[in-house]
Amino acid sequence: MTSRLSFAHLPTPVEEMPRLSAALKGPRLLVKRDDQTGLAFGGNKSRKLEYLLAEARQEDALTLISAGAVQSNHCRQTVAAAARFGMNCILVLFGDPPDPPDGNHLLHYLLGAEIVFTDRESIESRLAEVYQQALSQGRKPYLIPYGGSNPIGAQGYVNAMLELAQQKVAPDWIVFPSSSGGTQAGMLVGARKSGFDGKILGISVDQPADSLSARVAALATETAAFIGEKWEFTVHDVLVNDDYLGGGYAVMGEPEIRAINLFAQKEALLLDPVYTGRAAAGLIDLIQKGFFKPTETVLFWHTGGSPALFASKYQSRLLTN
Ligand SMILES: *Cc1c(COP(=O)(O)O)cnc(C)c1O
């Protein structure tokens, strides 16, 4: 177990969503506000970065290096953490850079990132090159993997489940967006550690269920070992739904637009077009199909991401009337 820096705004509140529940004629709905974790508009990466930054500082790193999409929340929060602790940050980004920069990408620059663009296929190799170069220049780089999803970062969500246990809400289901798997892997380990007996259902944002489940199980096993627990996780321990992949990663479709509007107008909750909008679209569809029992309590874990609403490619299509 690594140590942790404490900069996120924790514990995040758990709130009721009565108007959304009524509008959907659904079960009792709760929301865990990890969109309010602080660190430049918040999100799930704050929890991972508390552990990753602790290790970076132990190694006397001067430069954080990470990678993601042009509208990456992970990269926005990583460069924010670098600024907060007086480090430099190099981001390797894929996708078409908006001109002028908007949404998260505007914040990447505003928070002081040095940016290297590449294409999606070359992201890993370009990241390795940028790291080697920074190393040879004496910039003491610390590499944060895609999404902050390794056993160090995943500890943030082990801890988040212990936090939830303290809040005494014990939902039957936790529903949230899952992508690089660190959030879900941490939750699984934290669930075992805290004795949580509800179900943890990741709505896949960009991958088929079998590959995401395998990744989550492997990372959960590694994370458990990292904190000194000999727990094996297999794909049978992982719940992933991949029915809502739509047009693929970061493609906002009608279901996301409807979900974003509904959450805003019923609960004043601001989702995002890529992750929480997709997971909420899945949640709404599952409620409408009668997937949850009327007596159950479902907790939507809001993982953040709202700055992407202000990327013009999404902004221009969000309003439904
Ligand atoms: C990164 C991110 C996720 C996915 O978390 P993983 O740990 O990568 O699975 C979900 N929601 C938002 C808003 C994110 O930025």
Side-chain angles (χ1 to χ4, degrees):
M1 191 134 194
T2 36
S3 58
R4 165 185 173 202
L5 293 180
S6 171
F7 54 79
H9 300 171
L10 305 178
T12 56
V14 174
E15 296 168 349
E16 300 275 346
M17 296 195 287
R19 289 184 11 92
L20 182 65
S21 176
L24 296 169
K25 300 185 178 57
R28 179 178 174 218
L29 297 176
L30 304 175
V31 57
K32 174 87 169 143
R33 298 294 305 274
D34 276 16
D35 57 324
Q36 302 290 311
T37 52
L39 195 64
F41 290 130
N44 62 343
K45 305 310 182 304
S46 302
R47 291 187 188 269
K48 300 177 180 185
L49 286 163
E50 285 196 327
Y51 289 90
L52 292 160
L53 264 285
E55 197 190 58
R57 298 241 299 182
Q58 273 161 23
E59 295 182 5
D60 294 322
L62 296 176
T63 308
L64 300 181
I65 300 183
S66 199
V70 156
Q71 287 298 338
S72 170
N73 301 303
H74 163 67
C75 288
R76 181 235 318 151
Q77 294 210 270
T78 298
V79 60
R84 174 82 158 65
F85 291 98
M87 298 182 210
N88 296 307
C89 180
I90 309 175
L91 298 176
V92 180
L93 302 179
F94 65 84
D96 292 331
D99 181 21
D102 58 19
N104 281 309
H105 195 51
L106 173 65
L107 301 177
H108 294 154
Y109 284 111
L110 190 63
L111 292 159
E114 296 166 47
I115 296 179
V116 175
F117 292 104
T118 186
D119 47 62
R120 198 170 187 175
E121 294 66 45
S122 336
I123 194 96
E124 288 300 331
S125 59
R126 198 76 188 89
L127 190 59
E129 277 169 26
V130 167
Y131 178 82
Q132 282 308 325
Q133 191 180 32
L135 193 64
S136 64
Q137 291 169 339
R139 299 186 68 188
K140 294 194 176 176
Y142 179 83
L143 188 65
I144 297 184
Y146 195 73
S149 287
N150 61 10
I152 298 169
Q155 289 176 99
Y157 274 85
V158 178
N159 200 52
M161 289 301 291
L162 303 180
E163 177 183 303
L164 183 71
Q166 294 281 313
Q167 293 175 308
K168 310 229 176 296
V169 281
D172 299 287
W173 294 86
I174 294 174
V175 178
F176 62 99
S178 192
S179 176
S180 66
T183 300
Q184 191 161 7
M187 282 181 181
L188 284 178
V189 176
R192 186 140 338 159
K193 207 170 161 66
S194 67
F196 178 77
D197 63 2
K199 297 191 178 70
I200 295 174
L201 174 61
I203 305 292
S204 179
V205 167
D206 53 0
Q207 286 180 68
D210 52 358
S211 66
L212 180 54
S213 302
R215 156 112 184 114
V216 169
L219 185 53
T221 303
E222 271 183 82
T223 303
F226 199 79
I227 65 165
E229 303 286 0
K230 282 199 185 64
W231 296 331
E232 284 279 336
F233 292 85
T234 73
V235 291
H236 305 293
D237 300 311
V238 183
L239 290 176
V240 168
N241 181 316
D242 65 0
D243 289 343
Y244 305 101
L245 298 176
Y249 181 72
V251 179
M252 181 179 73
E254 287 302 320
E256 287 84 15
I257 294 172
R258 278 198 304 275
I260 291 168
N261 276 269
L262 192 67
F263 272 63
Q265 288 153 33
K266 295 300 174 193
E267 297 292 349
L269 288 167
L270 301 175
L271 303 180
D272 82 284
V274 181
Y275 296 97
T276 55
R278 183 156 290 174
L283 173 68
I284 291 166
D285 186 59
L286 291 171
I287 290 172
Q288 289 174 337
K289 283 177 173 160
F291 178 83
F292 305 106
K293 297 193 188 86
T295 52
E296 287 181 326
T297 296
V298 181
L299 181 142
F300 182 73
W301 204 304
H302 192 330
T303 49
S306 53
L309 290 172
F310 306 103
S312 64
K313 73 167 179 169
Y314 299 125
Q315 190 176 38
S316 61
R317 295 177 43 236
L318 272 172
L319 300 184
T320 48
N321 48 30

